[in-house]
């Protein structure tokens, strides 16, 4: 026998849960033989009253997860439960905001905002009232009849927000909503949004914000999920211990941001693009010669080492500080740090990056000496380079077709990634004068005798 009070309790307990992903996986069909596993066994719960952030590198499946939660895509396995029922199509009560704004250029601000309501069959005075409310709320008053192209990026995104809010959705999904805006505009809009939320003026129950900006996530969210890549998984979930409004200069805030940087570097995948086929992970581990490389240029590496070595960093920096100094996004910074670490020129430690002795030596050296240091580092730390050198060395012609290496790489990674890997390695090897590549003949050839 079920006790009535117990079931009432469980209904009340469920009332605050808006959406749940239960063991959701998503693969995209790639070609006839392999599927690309983008999300692997992702489970999460969003409740009303919270702003949740989703942090991860590009390609880690964040946009895919949003589409799944909105019911725009059905998961390959697992299920999405919206207000207690399995989602079988677009969820009623979810709105989305995109970084591209996605406005219709031939419609005025007012018409763009009204779109969502028309789809719901709301017309006439009710429609006009709701549209005007949304426009006023988001600070677009006076712009009702403007065309999108007449507006700044910031104002265009306000239209995107008004259009999402006009239907008074339960859940607002935002996919990198501020990433197309300049720093100040983004800051403005972010602050306005958080303020409206804190004052309970936003007609939404919960928000999920995708971003690859760590500071932004810590400024906005109550809870942050950190995604790892290849395939996308939830690697960490953190509760943000600050109330709004937040002060980014507060040492505790800085420390929290640092902590996330540290978590994300710890989790840094060897392959920095979600471009691996299903089942390939084991193969990569089993074949150390073909570990995929971070795809960064030697020029970028040198730039980073020089910035690190210079005063006031003096060889060691907080990653967020370095990112700001170099004006780099995370997606660029992490592969750079990883490549320097791979080559033994820097180390990552607790969200800091520091030059090793070899790294310091490199920065202090002239060009010839730098070439020699890199030559040594590549040969000893990058098995693919050693393998290419060895093959070239054995050949009387000191040259060989690039195809053999490409095919070998394609055993464990996608053709695209294999091509980019070879391109990256050629760039490094050229600088170090280890070997070169003739594009026309698609051949590798030896620059001079391989050292050691
Ligand atoms: P994120 O938003 O984190 O950058 P996405 O969810 O957009 O990641 O994409 C994750 C991976 O899935 C990427 O490698 C992307 O190329 C791939 N992908 C996304 N959408 C599709 C699709 N419709 N078909 C095939 N592959 C896709
Ligand atoms: Mg995306």
């Amino acid at each position: 026998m079920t006790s009535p009070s117990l079931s009432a309790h469980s209904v009340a307990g469920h009332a605050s849960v808006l959406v749940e992903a239960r063991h959701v996986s998503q693969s995209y069909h790639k070609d006839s033989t392999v599927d690309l596993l983008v999300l692997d066994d992702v489970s999460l719960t969003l409740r009303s009253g919270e702003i949740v952030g989703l942090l991860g590198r590009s390609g880690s499946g964040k946009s895919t997860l949003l589409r799944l939660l909105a019911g725009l895509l059905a998961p390959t396995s697992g299920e999405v439960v919206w207000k207690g029922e399995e989602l079988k199509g677009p969820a009623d009560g979810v709105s989305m905001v995109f970084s591209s704004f996605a406005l219709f250029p031939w419609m005025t601000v007012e018409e763009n905002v009204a779109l969502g309501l028309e789809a719901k069959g709301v017309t006439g005075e009710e429609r006009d009232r709701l549209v005007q409310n949304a426009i006023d709320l988001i600070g677009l008053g006076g712009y009702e009849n403007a065309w999108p192209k007449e507006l700044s990026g910031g104002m265009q995104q306000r239209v995107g927000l008004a259009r999402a809010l006009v239907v008074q959705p339960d859940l607002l999904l935002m996919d990198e909503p501020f990433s197309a805006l300049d720093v100040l505009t983004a800051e403005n809009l972010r602050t306005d949004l958080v303020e409206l939320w804190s004052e309970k003026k936003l007609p939404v129950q919960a928000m999920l914000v995708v971003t690859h900006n760590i500071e932004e996530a810590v400024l906005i969210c109550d809870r942050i999920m950190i995604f790892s890549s290849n395939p996308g998984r939830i690697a960490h979930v953190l509760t943000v211990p600050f109330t709004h409004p937040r002060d980014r200069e507060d040492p505790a805030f800085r420390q929290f941001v640092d902590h996330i940087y540290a978590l994300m570097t710890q989790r840094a995948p060897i392959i920095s693009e979600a471009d691996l086929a299903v089942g390939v992970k084991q193969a990569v581990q089993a074949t150390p010669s073909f570990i995929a490389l971070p795809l960064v240029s030697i020029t970028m590496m040198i730039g980073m080492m020089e910035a690190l070595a210079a005063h006031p960093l003096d060889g060691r920096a907080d990653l967020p500080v370095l990112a700001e100094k170099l004006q780099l996004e995370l997606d660029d910074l992490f592969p750079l740090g990883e490549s320097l670490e791979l080559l033994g020129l820097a180390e990552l430690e607790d969200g800091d990056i520091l030059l090793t002795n070899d790294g310091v030596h490199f920065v202090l050296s002239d060009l010839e000496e730098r070439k020699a240091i890199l030559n040594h580092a590549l040969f000893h730390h990058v098995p693919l380079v050693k393998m290419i050198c060895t093959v070239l060395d054995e050949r009387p012609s000191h040259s060989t077709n690039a195809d053999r290496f490409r095919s070998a790489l394609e055993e464990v990674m996608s053709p695209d990634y294999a091509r980019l890997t070879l391109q990256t390695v050629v760039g490094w090897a050229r600088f170090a004068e280890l070997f070169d590549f003739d594009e026309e003949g698609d051949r590798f050839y030896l620059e001079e005798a391989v050292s050691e």
Side-chain angles (χ1 to χ4, degrees), residues 24 37-42 59-61 227-234 274:
V24 160
L37 180 63
V38 172
L39 292 175
D40 184 26
D41 196 14
V42 171
S60 59
F227 252 56
S228 63
S229 319
N230 307 308
R233 289 194 185 111
I234 297 177

Side-chain angles (χ1 to χ4, degrees), residues 100-279:
S100 62
F101 320 140
L103 305 179
F104 290 105
W106 59 86
M107 289 183 179
T108 63
V109 165
E110 203 171 47
E111 288 165 344
N112 266 291
V113 173
L115 263 182
L117 285 175
E118 273 158 24
K120 291 190 144 228
V122 181
T123 53
E125 277 176 25
E126 174 70 351
R127 184 200 90 132
D128 295 348
R129 189 181 62 81
L130 289 170
V131 168
Q132 198 57 50
N133 283 351
I135 282 178
D136 290 341
L137 178 73
I138 217 73
L140 281 168
Y143 290 88
E144 289 82 355
N145 297 311
W147 302 102
K149 67 167 188 296
E150 297 172 327
L151 303 178
S152 66
M155 291 302 268
Q156 290 189 42
Q157 190 57 306
R158 283 178 195 264
V159 181
L161 274 163
R163 185 182 55 195
L165 292 172
V166 76
V167 297
Q168 312 197 322
D170 298 305
L171 176 62
L172 181 61
L173 301 175
M174 297 192 275
D175 198 350
E176 311 210 13
F178 311 118
S179 67
L181 306 175
D182 64 80
V183 177
L184 280 181
T185 309
E187 174 76 12
N188 240 328
L189 199 45
R190 197 189 290 133
T191 309
D192 283 359
L193 192 74
V194 169
E195 219 172 87
L196 289 171
W197 170 263
S198 307
E199 294 167 356
K200 306 210 183 306
K201 288 183 181 156
L202 285 184
V204 300
Q205 304 291 316
M207 302 199 278
L208 181 62
V209 195
V210 164
T211 172
H212 57 245
N213 183 328
I214 294 177
E215 203 165 278
E216 174 168 295
V218 182
L219 277 169
I220 300 179
C221 303
D222 304 313
R223 203 150 58 94
I224 298 176
M225 303 186 180
I226 302 175
F227 252 56
S228 63
S229 319
N230 307 308
R233 289 194 185 111
I234 297 177
H236 305 276
V237 181
L238 304 175
T239 301
V240 182
F242 312 116
T243 50
H244 291 295
R246 294 176 186 168
D247 173 12
R248 68 170 86 217
E249 304 301 332
D250 176 1
F253 184 99
R254 305 284 0 138
Q255 201 178 10
F256 199 78
V257 168
D258 278 0
H259 176 56
I260 297 183
Y261 266 93
L263 289 176
M264 290 181 78
T265 41
Q266 221 180 65
R267 281 282 167 166
I270 300 163
I271 294 152
S272 48
E273 203 177 90
D275 211 2
L276 277 179
V278 175

Side-chain angles (χ1 to χ4, degrees), residues 169-425:
D170 298 305
L171 176 62
L172 181 61
L173 301 175
M174 297 192 275
D175 198 350
E176 311 210 13
F178 311 118
S179 67
L181 306 175
D182 64 80
V183 177
L184 280 181
T185 309
E187 174 76 12
N188 240 328
L189 199 45
R190 197 189 290 133
T191 309
D192 283 359
L193 192 74
V194 169
E195 219 172 87
L196 289 171
W197 170 263
S198 307
E199 294 167 356
K200 306 210 183 306
K201 288 183 181 156
L202 285 184
V204 300
Q205 304 291 316
M207 302 199 278
L208 181 62
V209 195
V210 164
T211 172
H212 57 245
N213 183 328
I214 294 177
E215 203 165 278
E216 174 168 295
V218 182
L219 277 169
I220 300 179
C221 303
D222 304 313
R223 203 150 58 94
I224 298 176
M225 303 186 180
I226 302 175
F227 252 56
S228 63
S229 319
N230 307 308
R233 289 194 185 111
I234 297 177
H236 305 276
V237 181
L238 304 175
T239 301
V240 182
F242 312 116
T243 50
H244 291 295
R246 294 176 186 168
D247 173 12
R248 68 170 86 217
E249 304 301 332
D250 176 1
F253 184 99
R254 305 284 0 138
Q255 201 178 10
F256 199 78
V257 168
D258 278 0
H259 176 56
I260 297 183
Y261 266 93
L263 289 176
M264 290 181 78
T265 41
Q266 221 180 65
R267 281 282 167 166
I270 300 163
I271 294 152
S272 48
E273 203 177 90
D275 211 2
L276 277 179
V278 175
V280 148
K281 261 203 127 73
Q282 301 85 324
V284 171
Q285 276 150 12
T287 323
S289 314
F290 300 128
I291 283 176
L293 303 169
L295 306 176
V296 299
S297 72
I298 191 76
T299 321
M300 295 288 287
M301 282 194 261
I302 295 177
M304 176 138 153
M305 284 196 283
E306 287 179 342
L308 246 183
H311 199 62
L313 300 179
D314 303 319
R316 179 178 191 125
D318 209 25
L319 280 169
V321 171
L322 190 63
E324 196 171 322
K325 202 175 170 73
L326 296 173
Q327 303 250 308
L328 282 180
E329 291 281 349
L330 275 188
D331 288 336
D332 303 317
L333 187 73
F334 283 153
L336 258 174
E338 284 158 18
S339 57
L340 291 177
E341 189 167 49
L342 174 74
L343 295 173
L345 299 171
E347 278 167 15
L348 297 166
E349 189 186 284
D350 299 335
D352 279 10
I353 180 162
L354 48 146
L355 287 174
T356 58
N357 287 337
D358 280 354
V360 172
H361 183 189
F362 183 98
V363 174
L364 296 176
S365 299
D366 64 10
L367 184 62
E368 282 317 303
E369 183 72 15
R370 284 181 174 192
K371 287 180 182 214
I373 294 171
L374 194 71
N375 186 308
H376 186 268
L378 284 173
F379 194 79
H380 290 280
H381 297 302
V382 187
L384 178 62
V385 167
K386 185 170 186 167
M387 182 189 167
I388 295 174
C389 288
T390 311
V391 170
L392 291 174
D393 214 24
E394 282 165 358
R395 303 238 149 175
S397 65
H398 292 327
S399 78
T400 185
N401 198 300
D403 225 26
R404 60 183 296 168
F405 302 116
R406 203 175 294 122
S407 321
L409 287 172
E410 283 177 15
E411 297 271 309
V412 292
M413 62 184 73
S414 74
D416 269 354
Y417 207 92
R419 189 176 46 77
L420 293 170
T421 300
L422 283 185
Q423 207 170 304
T424 301
V425 156

